[in-house]
Amino acid sequence: MVREWRRRGAASPHAWTAVAGLLALAAVAESAMHARGMPVDGAAAERPARLLALVLLGLAATLPLALLPAQPAVAAVVVSATLVLSFAAFHTLTAAGACAQLIAGFRLGRTGPRLPALLASAPFPLLAILAVGPFSPLAEAGGENLVTPVSGGFPPPEAAVPYGDPRPVVLLLACLAPAAALAGIAWRARGDARASDAARAAAAGALLEHTARGERARIARELHDVVAHHISLVAVQAETARLATPGMPEAGAERLSAIGDTARAALTEMRRLLGVLRDDADAGAADLRPQPGLRPADLDALVDEARQASGTAVRLVLRGTPVELDPGVELAAYRIAQEALTNARRHAPGAAVDVELRYTGTELLLRVRDNGPGPSPAGPGAAGPDAAAPGAGTGTAGAGGHGLTGMRERAAAAGGELRTGPAPGGGFLVEARLPGEGSPGAIRPQAEAGGGRR
């Protein structure tokens, strides 16, 4: 409830004006009663002037509270100086002015500089010493009326009012004014400590999240480097055993084919899991996108990217009726084409490249050919599954590269094969033959290409 009141008060631009107005009314009433209880030396006409002075001092001690939101230091200094002047000139202090001093000191300590908040409350302990000390102008014998008489005599009893003695107010201000300023400073220090704790907690949370993401990325790399490799070997060995074992019973061939299909499906599912594990700050949204394939949008984006990167002509040639293949086959074809385009850009800069996809119904033929210088003379020159990596043509530079090996492994994992070598008439050729039959009911005609080019 207190927090709600503070929030509404801070949000209202007239809250401090209303507080200052109420205290000003109280100060005016107290000033009138003080003026009534004070003796007057000389003509009675001086009483209105003294009343006016006390009223003005009361207003000056309370109305500056309206400046607290914008100028807390100015408001606190004006209130403190007015109270000191009122005590020094007329030996009077109003309770409304004392409340204004406490409010201004607390507000200045909470929102303004600390030193001015303490200095604004420093005069009141000195005033208390002067008010109760042996040299106090208020110390009179008997102590029945503690208002300093101007003429040396005391006013009649009926003129004395309970508001005449300022010493209780001075003593209260001497104790409470520094306490209010220190309370405001402590309140601000508490808020700063809370903000610092919140910042540290946020930093610790961010560090923990960063550590967790790093650990997820490490797990993803381990799965990719170890598990994916072994699953790929299972698929390759199953297909090799099915194709290379003569006289294998049909049931055994079906089981080996099922093993290869299961391994490839496991690879696809694991890739999706790796995409979730690698959901970090750098590639969070990208990892959750669908895997690329042979969809027209994916192929167009791949070709456009190659054109922009190399600045040369890159053509996409589609032959046959495009059909939707197994996701693993489409992903393997996409990655092979992507790697071949990258190698052509790296080892045959400026060469034109043709990317050809031929759908025959039983298989998918992917050919990526450039018109560059072709393989280095040190290479064997013959195309085949075991062709060496070229030096100047498309492929990885040197024997230590893994571009051609990676493409060959992708083709084998998808149940196909890959051949690389010099192209007829010059250049370098990457040719992959992949299975054209997807899962049952998954092959659906997409468009009639009929040898169209892009």
Side-chain angles (χ1 to χ4, degrees):
M1 182 176 180
V2 175
R3 291 182 179 179
E4 181 68 16
W5 179 84
R6 287 177 52 212
R7 183 184 66 81
R8 292 182 179 179
S12 175
H14 306 294
W16 288 108
T17 303
V19 172
L22 292 177
L23 289 179
L25 292 177
V28 170
E30 287 187 79
S31 299
M33 300 189 72
H34 279 299
R36 177 177 175 270
M38 292 179 62
V40 179
D41 185 18
E46 296 182 6
R47 188 180 299 273
R50 202 168 280 193
L51 173 62
L52 178 61
L54 291 177
V55 169
L56 292 178
L57 287 174
L59 294 177
T62 53
L63 290 180
L65 291 184
L67 301 176
L68 281 179
Q71 300 290 338
V74 174
V77 170
V78 171
V79 171
S80 178
T82 303
L83 293 179
V84 172
L85 178 61
S86 177
F87 180 81
F90 299 98
H91 308 305
T92 59
L93 288 176
T94 62
C99 292
Q101 173 61 37
L102 297 181
I103 295 173
F106 177 82
R107 177 76 179 187
L108 179 59
R110 189 167 71 90
T111 61
R114 298 180 180 180
L115 184 58
L118 295 175
L119 292 179
S121 61
F124 298 103
L126 299 178
L127 291 181
I129 295 175
L130 293 176
V132 299
F135 301 102
S136 170
L138 301 178
E140 299 292 340
E144 294 181 359
N145 192 327
L146 299 176
V147 179
T148 303
V150 179
S151 61
F154 297 102
E158 60 272 12
V161 294
Y163 303 94
D165 189 1
R167 287 183 294 183
V169 179
V170 173
L171 291 175
L172 285 176
L173 282 177
C175 298
L176 297 182
L182 292 175
I185 294 174
W187 191 290
R188 182 173 61 179
R190 181 184 179 188
D192 294 342
R194 286 182 176 178
S196 178
D197 292 343
R200 283 196 296 268
L207 179 61
L208 180 62
E209 180 65 19
H210 178 74
T211 303
R213 288 177 177 176
E215 185 65 16
R216 288 198 297 266
R218 186 189 66 81
I219 294 174
R221 288 193 298 269
E222 294 292 335
L223 288 175
H224 181 272
D225 294 342
V226 179
V227 181
H229 175 70
H230 287 82
I231 295 179
S232 300
L233 288 180
V234 169
V236 172
Q237 291 173 359
E239 293 295 333
T240 302
R242 181 176 65 86
L243 298 175
T245 303
M248 176 177 290
E250 184 178 354
E254 292 178 354
R255 289 190 177 93
L256 289 176
S257 179
I259 292 174
D261 293 341
T262 302
R264 287 189 291 272
L267 278 175
T268 301
E269 293 298 328
M270 193 180 67
R271 289 190 189 100
R272 297 173 183 171
L273 291 176
L274 293 182
V276 175
L277 288 175
R278 288 174 178 172
D279 179 20
D280 52 22
D282 295 331
D287 290 336
L288 297 179
R289 293 181 297 180
Q291 292 281 7
L294 300 181
R295 295 180 293 271
D298 296 335
L299 295 175
D300 290 345
L302 179 62
V303 172
D304 290 340
E305 180 183 1
R307 288 172 181 163
Q308 294 175 1
S310 62
T312 58
V314 179
R315 297 190 303 175
L316 175 63
V317 182
L318 299 178
R319 301 186 186 278
T321 303
V323 293
E324 184 175 344
L325 305 178
D326 183 84
V329 175
E330 291 197 1
L331 179 61
Y334 181 89
R335 294 304 185 192
I336 291 172
Q338 185 181 42
E339 180 67 21
L341 289 172
T342 301
N343 288 343
R345 184 168 62 249
R346 182 184 307 165
H347 301 290
V353 184
D354 287 344
V355 179
E356 180 182 350
L357 288 172
R358 179 178 295 177
Y359 294 87
T360 64
T362 58
E363 67 178 4
L364 170 66
L365 178 62
L366 169 63
R367 302 181 66 189
V368 180
R369 174 180 175 176
D370 65 64
N371 61 356
S376 62
D386 299 325
T394 307
T396 54
H402 301 282
L404 298 180
T405 302
M407 289 190 288
R408 191 171 292 113
E409 288 179 352
R410 284 188 179 275
E417 62 178 3
L418 183 130
R419 301 172 66 250
T420 60
F428 194 80
L429 174 66
V430 176
E431 182 178 85
R433 295 180 179 272
L434 302 173
E437 294 184 359
S439 58
I443 302 179
R444 297 189 299 272
Q446 292 181 342
E448 294 292 338
R453 290 188 176 185
R454 182 182 182 276

